[in-house]
Amino acid sequence: MSVSGSWVRAARGAMLLSDDGELRPTIFAEMSALAARTGAINLGQGYPDEDGPRAVLEAAKRAIDEGLNQYPPGRGMPVLLEAIANHQQRFYGLRVDPEREVLVTTGATEAIAATLLALVDAGDEVVTFEPFYDSYAAMIALAGGVHVTVALPAPAFRPDLDRLRAAVTDRTRVILINSPHNPTGTVLDREALELIVELAHRHDAIIVTDEVYEHLVFGVEHIPISTLPGARERTVTISSGGKTFSTTGWKIGWLIAPPELLDAILAVKQFLSYVSGAPFQPAIATGLGLPDSYFADAAAALAVKRELLGSGLRRAGFEVSRPDGSYFIIADAAPLGFIDAVEFCRRLPQLAGVAGIPLTAFVRPERHADYRSLVRFAFCKRAEVLDRASAQLAQLRRT
Ligand SMILES: *Cc1c(COP(=O)(O)O)cnc(C)c1O
């Protein structure tokens, strides 16, 4: 049976439809399955391999024991709405109304989905950087939007501001940014952010900003775009507890937006998941209330891991990026004689017992040539795992 429907748009948007109309598995699924089959160390998918703060885990268990097991309020539980508002005030000096400007979602993923479905009409353009997080392309397509991209060129992955200027027009409905950026680790600086605000004003566009790695920056400042003059009234800020508290399986995310925008997004969200994980909401609230030292230590520990894997990759003969944030580092396999990272990643578990993701998974076919030999590796793993991966990767020098 051939099943038609809007999924075709999503699959095509996410570059997962083969020429004969078959849905291909994502490269993430393929590489994770390959890692599992071969026993390779999986540095493909970006999730930590140890638990986050004890207090957060205990709070979820307590919530279950205390009977918080039924539908919570549609906008989110007051304790979490308050905690999100307090977090914005504490870290960024932003005053947020927890009752009207915050919405709890089922992960940042649902926040992105609901926002794009709510705000993008058929034919509207959505501008993102490229490479881009895979759900953006799928959701823009599902909303009937047109995806316009601005390249982050290797090896520095910084945006060319003239190209950004050229990409935003009166057809642009949304400028969707992600800083710190997955997959490149780029953290947008004030100049780029100011230009985005200026362009959004000039072309009456909405800014949507995915800041799930907001606390995972290494010696640079994360500047939420909504702190810039003129940004707030047209910005939807998206984040999540998954990356900050190493609870990626809990799927508690949120968005912060002016009430008119938020109500439009809520109108969609209530028919997607309706509400999100009751016992995890007070637990993430506990996390957001942890002392500053927790957030600083989490970033510092991750910075050490970036160095561990970075130096391991360098010793193995890769050319390696130095990400300013996120879970990810980009390695160029070309110096080792591998020019096609897709083929390389399919062989890497056999060659070195390690799995990664070719960067082209985040890039549209017309730009593949610019990223062909690049691989994304996740360094959000235990030090001993990164040491073992580094030792195994060193074998590549001899192949
Ligand atoms: C992990 C990730 C998400 C998804 O967050 P969830 O809270 O797990 O849904 C969204 N955006 C980016 C850039 C990510 O890396």
Side-chain angles (χ1 to χ4, degrees):
M1 186 175 70
S2 98
V3 182
S4 63
S6 309
W7 73 271
V8 174
R9 277 214 304 271
R12 192 172 291 131
M15 308 166 290
L16 294 175
L17 218 54
S18 71
D19 292 338
D20 50 7
E22 293 287 315
L23 184 65
R24 283 193 306 252
T26 68
I27 193 89
F28 306 95
E30 182 189 336
M31 291 304 156
S32 285
L34 185 59
R37 204 160 61 238
T38 57
I41 300 171
N42 189 353
L43 304 184
Q45 269 192 322
Y47 57 85
D49 60 354
E50 49 190 345
D51 279 333
R54 218 50 242 168
V56 172
L57 305 180
E58 293 300 331
K61 292 200 276 185
R62 212 161 46 240
I64 291 173
D65 286 340
E66 286 169 1
L68 285 179
N69 300 306
Q70 310 308 327
Y71 296 130
R75 284 173 182 257
M77 291 170 59
V79 63
L80 179 54
L81 300 176
E82 288 282 347
I84 293 164
N86 289 340
H87 169 274
Q88 298 307 98
Q89 170 80 51
R90 166 157 66 130
F91 286 99
Y92 310 126
L94 289 167
R95 295 177 72 88
V96 172
D97 179 348
E99 285 174 16
R100 299 172 66 228
E101 296 182 311
V102 184
L103 178 63
V104 174
T105 58
T106 303
T109 306
E110 190 197 32
I112 294 159
T115 299
L116 293 174
L117 289 173
L119 303 181
V120 175
D121 273 323
D124 284 348
E125 292 187 357
V126 179
V127 175
T128 75
F129 291 113
E130 183 170 18
F132 47 77
Y133 185 62
D134 57 343
S135 88
Y136 301 168
M139 289 316 306
I140 292 166
L142 208 46
V146 177
H147 191 181
V148 174
T149 65
V150 178
L152 297 174
F157 306 109
R158 317 260 4 144
D160 176 329
L161 298 189
D162 287 329
R163 297 225 159 135
L164 177 58
R165 240 179 238 113
V168 181
T169 69
D170 288 343
R171 293 186 301 278
T172 306
R173 174 71 170 149
V174 169
I175 305 171
L176 168 54
I177 62 173
N178 171 214
S179 178
H181 184 255
N182 176 5
T184 66
T186 293
V187 175
L188 293 177
D189 61 17
R190 195 172 293 277
E191 186 189 5
L193 294 170
E194 279 172 353
L195 175 62
I196 290 162
V197 177
E198 182 192 320
L199 292 170
H201 271 272
R202 187 179 315 151
H203 299 288
D204 197 22
I206 296 164
I207 300 164
V208 178
T209 174
D210 175 347
E211 302 183 3
V212 300
Y213 299 100
E214 62 188 313
H215 288 290
L216 304 178
V217 289
F218 317 127
V220 300
E221 188 192 5
H222 165 65
I223 306 171
I225 195 167
S226 63
T227 60
L228 268 51
R232 239 192 113 149
E233 61 266 26
R234 53 175 71 241
T235 297
V236 179
T237 300
I238 292 171
S239 193
S240 163
K243 309 287 160 58
T244 301
F245 304 114
S246 299
T247 51
T248 61
W250 285 11
K251 302 299 288 185
I252 298 296
W254 55 86
L255 60 89
I256 299 157
E260 322 78 76
L261 283 176
L262 189 132
D263 290 348
I265 298 165
L266 174 59
V268 172
K269 183 248 148 62
Q270 67 191 340
F271 299 117
L272 292 175
S273 65
Y274 174 44
V275 293
S276 311
F280 298 123
Q281 292 196 32
I284 294 297
T286 298
L288 290 171
L290 290 173
D292 291 359
S293 59
Y294 168 73
F295 299 87
D297 292 351
L302 200 57
V304 170
K305 295 176 179 196
R306 172 190 65 168
E307 292 310 319
L308 269 184
L309 186 61
S311 54
L313 287 164
R314 228 169 276 121
R315 279 197 306 277
F318 293 90
E319 245 154 54
V320 182
S321 73
R322 198 154 189 281
D324 284 332
S326 88
Y327 279 171
F328 305 107
I329 195 162
I330 307 295
D332 190 347
L336 285 159
F338 297 96
I339 42 175
D340 181 343
V342 175
E343 190 196 323
F344 175 66
C345 287
R346 288 194 171 121
R347 291 181 57 198
L348 190 56
Q350 215 67 58
L351 291 173
V354 172
I357 302 287
L359 207 63
T360 51
F362 306 88
V363 175
R364 299 193 295 192
E366 53 271 33
R367 276 207 231 273
H368 276 192
D370 299 337
Y371 300 92
R372 192 164 308 281
S373 59
L374 304 181
V375 181
R376 187 194 78 169
F377 290 106
F379 53 80
C380 51
K381 309 290 178 182
R382 282 168 295 144
E384 73 213 57
V385 173
L386 298 175
D387 282 339
R388 194 148 41 82
S390 296
Q392 292 175 196
L393 286 164
Q395 299 168 35
L396 287 172
R397 279 231 183 255
R398 296 191 290 274
T399 55

